[in-house]
Amino acid sequence: MYRREDIRISPSILAADFLNLGAELKSVDNADFIHYDVMDGDFVPNISFGPGILRTVKRGTDLPVDVHMMVSNPDEVFRDYLDAGADVLTFHMETAKHAHRMVDEIHKRRRRAAVAINPGTSVASLDAIIDYLDMVLVMSVNPGFSGQKFIEHTYAQLNKLAALCQSHSVRPMIEIDGGISAANAEQVVAAGANVLVGGSAVFDAPDHAQAVEDMRDAGRRGLLRRA
Ligand code: DX5
Ligand code: ZN
């Protein structure tokens, strides 16, 4: 069980060694989610994996899988990821034709629904959907690759999101994705994040489980800094 507010760590297997995917998944079984990055080569300049590999990943972990769809046509493909076992399903606000309809259908399937925004997308674009979300994903790099540098403007995005949530009296999980490590986890949590994605910070570390714990410890220090 989680405390009312705790830090959750979501290792991104985009940075894992695909030749040893089963062992890589087991190496982070102390995390809270597995982050699964879907890239279509259109919305983002990279191609990763789709629903087929998601089924394989689901067989390799007991953790809930947090699916981040970076695709141009989420309204057309999101059901494929529900069918394949996504536990949390995230689509990008920039791509959604009917955001509320997708969220509704995700909930009818008893999964959690989330919306992501790119670094250049206004937090205000979430105003009409925020009441219905289990989680908001704030991108802290331009999506497409792991190992990129954290964009400092993200703190302004997190501050605006905290204000939006407060004005709506809602408390969705706030996931931060891109360039996160134990070095900045405290600061992003202090600014409102509570689900931390770690790609290279986890899978490039010599001890993956330790990297997860280090991120969580740093994040918990950030919780203490909140007013
Ligand atoms: C970026 C992906 C991220 C990425 C994170 O487009 O959405 O989830 O895998 O990798 P790091 O933590 O290395 O920036
Ligand atoms: Zn991601």
Side-chain angles (χ1 to χ4, degrees):
M1 282 301 287
Y2 298 109
R3 285 181 282 168
R4 167 105 179 84
E5 171 97 69
D6 200 358
I7 302 304
R8 299 174 197 193
I9 307 297
S10 191
S12 167
I13 56 163
L14 188 66
D17 176 4
F18 299 152
L19 208 51
N20 295 302
L21 194 50
E24 294 281 80
L25 287 167
K26 290 293 170 218
S27 76
V28 292
D29 62 5
N30 60 327
D32 303 281
F33 295 109
I34 294 295
H35 187 82
Y36 185 86
D37 284 308
V38 178
M39 300 178 172
D40 67 350
D42 185 45
F43 179 61
V44 292
N46 194 6
I47 295 176
S48 58
F49 19 61
I53 307 287
L54 177 57
R55 288 179 202 276
T56 308
V57 166
K58 286 289 292 179
R59 286 196 283 115
T61 182
D62 294 326
L63 295 175
V65 180
D66 152 33
V67 174
H68 178 192
M69 290 188 295
M70 288 161 276
V71 302
S72 297
N73 59 343
D75 299 71
E76 283 147 44
V77 302
F78 79 102
R79 292 179 197 86
D80 298 342
Y81 294 92
L82 295 174
D83 292 344
D87 297 281
V88 185
L89 188 54
T90 302
F91 59 86
H92 268 258
M93 201 62 207
E94 301 86 359
T95 59
K97 289 195 185 104
H98 304 292
H100 185 272
R101 179 179 290 159
M102 274 193 277
V103 167
D104 209 34
E105 211 168 315
I106 293 166
H107 283 155
K108 281 194 180 120
R109 301 277 299 264
R110 298 183 190 285
R111 316 298 169 82
R112 287 186 272 184
V115 170
I117 52 169
N118 280 338
T121 299
S122 169
V123 168
S125 66
L126 297 169
D127 185 66
I129 196 74
I130 191 119
D131 290 354
Y132 308 99
L133 299 179
D134 302 290
M135 185 170 88
V136 175
L137 188 165
V138 176
M139 285 305 309
S140 39
V141 298
N142 290 296
F145 305 93
S146 64
Q148 300 184 85
K149 190 174 175 302
F150 178 86
I151 296 171
E152 294 292 320
H153 177 69
T154 306
Y155 293 113
Q157 295 280 84
L158 287 170
N159 290 337
K160 285 181 190 151
L161 180 56
L164 183 70
C165 289
Q166 200 171 7
S167 73
H168 283 248
S169 303
V170 292
R171 295 191 60 172
M173 291 184 283
I174 297 180
E175 182 171 50
I176 183 96
D177 184 9
I180 304 299
S181 70
N184 58 9
E186 177 176 340
Q187 217 175 331
V188 294
V189 169
N194 52 18
V195 181
L196 309 178
V197 176
S200 45
V202 171
F203 288 105
D204 290 355
D207 182 337
H208 302 168
Q210 187 60 49
V212 167
E213 289 311 313
D214 290 348
M215 282 177 74
R216 205 196 318 269
D217 288 347
R220 283 179 176 158
R221 288 196 294 277
L223 279 184
L224 298 174
R225 270 176 47 189
R226 288 199 201 156

